[in-house]
């Protein structure tokens, strides 16, 4: 049983309990261990904290030696957003690929296998799945992180994912309430806005969250978005109308509500993280996620002190803070009591899912010589990160030795690709071509070399083009492998 450091009063301990901070390094710093002893109940992990499964298991054991019921959270969606495999790419396709297959049993299997891998490393709380309906194809931050654009499809796969993940003993955190799919702005940079009416919101955005709640999701993450039809004055994270009246009251949700990262500019740039954190707890949030960018003891101290000061000034009800802290402890107790299933995990389900998601149009004749892979590379959004490799070049080089590749960004001229490729056949790899006008170079490229293969690894919107067109519905490593197998003529059983 965890014992807390003497001299930490209940109010201060509760203020620490509701924080979910991050840190730098692959071992726990002294300040973090000290805060766990004072009442901190959650820790958030990011790619910077992970070098290998063995190292991660040692890190989580280090945390539990200080507090045995600590919530160890991570943003592991699979697909494009991976922290476990940030340096290699994910072994599991993301939501959009699973939605393209539309087999809820497969989605449940993938989530369960991912949960097994997390649990084996000591991670018990996953900030996933994304339940956002990707109704705006120009959305810069959701895209392939969504199961799709149809509310009923997103709802059934969200429920399947929650069930699969939690059956492995890992708490699911369904996000981004009340729905981030119809936005044209990334909340990492500014405040997005959704102008849909109440009826559309109820039928579209809220349907997947109803399904997640019915499936027993242990947590829901709020979005830093303004939805005037629900609250014209406050973003969802800071809105009592959205978090308390709608989510708790009308939808009947009784689990943990955690905020999206409070250092994101939608909050930090408008309210500041201290004020924003106080308003979020007052609105009905139970846990404050911070640490993606701010990852030090000073941040924890500032937020703790802001919450304590707000209670003492009468700006935040002490009972509300105590209720939030108790919900955090309740989830920690649930995870501590979950041992997870025994027996080996299915390590091949991710590859099978990626193969099933692949959509192939055109001449499937395998390549007869090593090609030139031209990756037309947009800037990745912050949730995905620039450090995770993507594409088909590495996988194809393993199957067709001699394959060469190049990366092209910005206003690239098709001539640069043609010059680099020489006489070799070109495999042009794109990601959300419809969102990046500079990728019009592909049209020129296809006119010059109509035998070009096109691999779309984002949300496919344009009609299939090229002699062969492969849509992978995501850029996970397994998606690249599935495409490479087709190009190389590898026969698989998946």
């Amino acid at each position: 049983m965890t014992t807390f450091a003497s001299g930490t009063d209940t109010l201060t301990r509760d203020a620490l309990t509701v924080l979910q901070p991050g840190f730098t390094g692959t071992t726990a710093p002294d300040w973090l261990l000290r805060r766990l002893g004072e009442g901190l109940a959650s820790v958030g992990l990011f790619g910077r904290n992970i070098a290998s499964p063995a190292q991660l298991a040692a890190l989580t054991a280090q945390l539990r030696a200080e507090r045995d019921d600590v919530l160890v959270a991570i943003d592991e969606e699979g697909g494009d957003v991976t922290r476990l495999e940030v340096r290699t790419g994910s072994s599991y396709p993301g939501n959009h690929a699973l939605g393209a297959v539309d087999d809820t049993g497969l989605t449940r299997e993938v989530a369960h296998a991912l949960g097994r891998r997390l649990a084996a490393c000591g991670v018990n709380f996953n900030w996933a799945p994304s339940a956002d309906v990707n109704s705006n194809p120009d959305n810069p931050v959701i895209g392939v992180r969504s199961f799709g654009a149809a509310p009923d499809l997103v709802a059934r796969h969200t429920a399947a994912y929650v069930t699969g993940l939690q059956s492995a003993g890992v708490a699911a955190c369904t996000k981004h309430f009340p729905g981030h799919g119809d936005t044209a702005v990334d909340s990492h940079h500014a405040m997005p806005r959704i102008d849909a009416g109440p009826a559309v919101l109820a039928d579209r955005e809220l349907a997947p969250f109803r399904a997640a709640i019915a499936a027993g999701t242990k947590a829901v993450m709020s979005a830093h978005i303004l939805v005037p039809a629900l609250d014209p004055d406050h973003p969802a994270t800071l809105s009592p109308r959205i978090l308390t009246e709608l989510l708790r009251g009308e939808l009947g949700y009784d689990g943990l509500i955690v905020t999206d990262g409070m250092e994101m500019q939608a909050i930090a740039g408008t309210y500041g993280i201290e004020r924003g954190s106080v308003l979020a707890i007052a609105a009905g949030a139970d846990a404050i996620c911070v640490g993606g960018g701010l990852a030090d003891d000073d941040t924890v101290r500032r937020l703790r002190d802001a919450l304590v000061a707000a209670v003492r000034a009468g700006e935040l009800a002490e009972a509300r803070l105590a209720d939030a802290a108790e919900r955090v402890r309740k989830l920690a107790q649930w995870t501590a009591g979950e041992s997870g299933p025994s027996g080996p995990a299915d390590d091949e389900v991710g590859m099978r899912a990626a193969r099933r998601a692949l959509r192939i149009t055109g001449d499937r004749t395998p390549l007869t010589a090593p090609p030139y892979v031209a990756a037309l590379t947009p800037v990745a959004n912050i949730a995905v990160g620039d450090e995770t490799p993507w594409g088909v070049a590495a996988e194809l080089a393993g199957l067709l030795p001699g394959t060469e590749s190049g990366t092209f960004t910005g206003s690239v001229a098709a001539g640069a690709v043609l010059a680099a490729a020489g006489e070799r056949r070109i495999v042009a790899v794109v990601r959300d071509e419809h969102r990046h006008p500079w990728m019009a170079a592909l049209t020129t490229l296809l006119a010059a070399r109509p035998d070009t293969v096109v691999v779309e690894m984002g949300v496919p919107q344009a009609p299939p083009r090229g002699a062969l067109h492969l849509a992978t519905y995501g850029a996970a490593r397994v998606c690249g492998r599935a495409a490479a197998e087709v190009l190389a003529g590898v026969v698989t059983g998946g």
Side-chain angles (χ1 to χ4, degrees):
M1 181 65 74
T2 300
T3 57
F4 297 110
S6 60
T8 305
D9 62 82
T10 299
L11 176 58
T12 301
R13 188 162 61 245
D14 284 349
L16 280 172
T17 298
V18 302
L19 303 180
Q20 290 190 350
F23 62 96
T24 58
T26 54
T27 59
D30 290 341
W31 68 261
L32 183 64
L33 299 175
R34 184 177 71 255
R35 295 301 186 192
L36 288 171
E38 294 171 354
L40 187 70
S42 307
V43 175
L45 300 181
F46 298 85
R48 65 188 179 222
N49 304 121
I50 300 170
S52 69
Q55 168 271 323
L56 178 55
L59 170 58
T60 58
Q62 183 186 15
L63 296 172
R64 289 200 169 85
E66 190 63 43
R67 177 167 183 156
D68 52 10
D69 64 346
V70 63
L71 284 171
V72 181
I74 199 168
D75 196 4
E76 182 61 46
E77 300 176 13
D80 290 31
V81 180
T82 179
R83 311 306 179 212
L84 285 181
E85 300 179 276
V86 67
R87 293 169 184 81
T88 61
S90 182
S91 299
Y92 304 95
N95 286 1
H96 211 58
L98 296 172
V101 178
D102 196 13
D103 179 342
T104 54
L106 180 64
T107 295
R108 191 160 42 249
E109 286 183 65
V110 168
H112 179 79
L114 180 57
R116 292 286 295 274
R117 186 171 291 193
L118 290 171
C121 295
V123 177
N124 56 12
F125 185 23
N126 192 10
W127 293 319
S130 167
D132 306 297
V133 178
N134 197 52
S135 56
N136 183 351
D138 291 328
N139 193 312
V141 68
I142 301 301
V144 294
R145 300 169 66 197
S146 167
F147 289 110
D152 57 343
L153 179 144
V154 176
R156 61 179 175 264
H157 285 277
T158 296
Y161 194 107
V162 167
T163 301
L165 185 65
Q166 294 187 167
S167 69
V170 175
C173 182
T174 305
K175 61 187 183 185
H176 306 81
F177 188 82
H180 209 311
D182 191 21
T183 59
V185 172
D186 185 343
S187 52
H188 290 90
H189 303 300
M191 182 75 75
R193 177 185 175 110
I194 293 180
D195 286 311
V200 171
L201 293 170
D203 292 342
R204 186 180 66 189
E205 269 71 23
L206 297 184
F209 290 96
R210 292 193 196 93
I213 292 168
T217 187
K218 294 296 180 181
V220 169
M221 177 177 283
S222 67
H224 303 329
I225 59 175
L226 190 65
V227 188
L230 299 178
D231 186 333
D233 302 315
H234 306 96
T237 294
L238 312 183
S239 171
R241 162 68 189 123
I242 293 175
L243 298 188
T244 298
E245 295 180 24
L246 176 58
L247 182 53
R248 292 265 187 241
E250 296 174 32
L251 299 187
Y253 176 65
D254 193 43
L256 187 79
I257 300 175
V258 59
T259 71
D260 207 343
M262 296 300 283
E263 67 269 47
M264 294 164 64
Q265 285 303 300
I267 299 296
T270 52
Y271 295 86
I273 62 168
E274 293 97 334
R275 182 64 179 160
S277 296
V278 170
L279 293 174
I281 297 295
D286 305 306
I288 301 296
C289 177
V290 66
L294 299 172
D296 53 37
D297 190 35
D298 181 61
T299 300
V300 172
R301 178 190 55 77
R302 286 162 51 202
L303 295 183
R304 178 204 64 188
D305 291 352
L307 292 167
V308 169
V311 170
R312 290 176 175 163
E315 298 174 353
L316 173 63
E318 185 170 1
R320 170 77 275 271
L321 179 60
D323 173 65
E326 181 56 31
R327 290 181 189 276
V328 174
R329 288 189 282 264
K330 183 178 179 180
L331 180 57
Q333 291 164 6
W334 178 84
T335 58
E338 291 292 309
S339 59
S342 59
D346 184 351
D347 290 333
E348 293 299 318
V349 66
M351 194 66 245
R352 294 200 308 272
R355 290 171 183 142
R356 288 183 61 185
L358 198 61
R359 297 294 181 268
I360 306 168
T361 306
D363 183 2
R364 297 182 58 156
T365 303
L367 300 175
T368 56
Y372 183 81
V373 179
L376 307 187
T377 305
V379 175
N381 69 60
I382 293 176
V384 172
D386 292 316
E387 67 270 33
T388 304
W390 69 284
V392 302
E395 297 294 337
L396 194 54
L399 298 174
L400 287 175
T403 295
E404 296 187 17
S405 62
T407 298
F408 302 85
T409 60
S411 302
V412 60
V417 177
L418 292 169
E423 297 301 315
R424 288 164 293 187
R425 190 170 180 185
I426 297 170
V427 176
V429 185
V430 298
R431 196 173 186 177
D432 293 338
E433 179 195 350
H434 67 284
R435 290 188 48 244
H436 304 285
W438 67 267
M439 286 188 189
L442 181 60
T443 301
T444 305
L445 182 62
L446 288 168
R449 297 281 289 271
D451 66 340
T452 294
V453 175
V454 177
V455 182
E456 169 59 87
M457 303 196 79
V459 178
Q461 293 288 324
R465 294 191 289 165
L468 173 63
H469 184 276
L470 305 177
T472 63
Y473 295 88
R477 175 173 52 82
V478 288
C479 296
R481 174 73 185 188
E485 289 175 345
V486 171
L487 295 176
V490 174
V491 178
T492 68

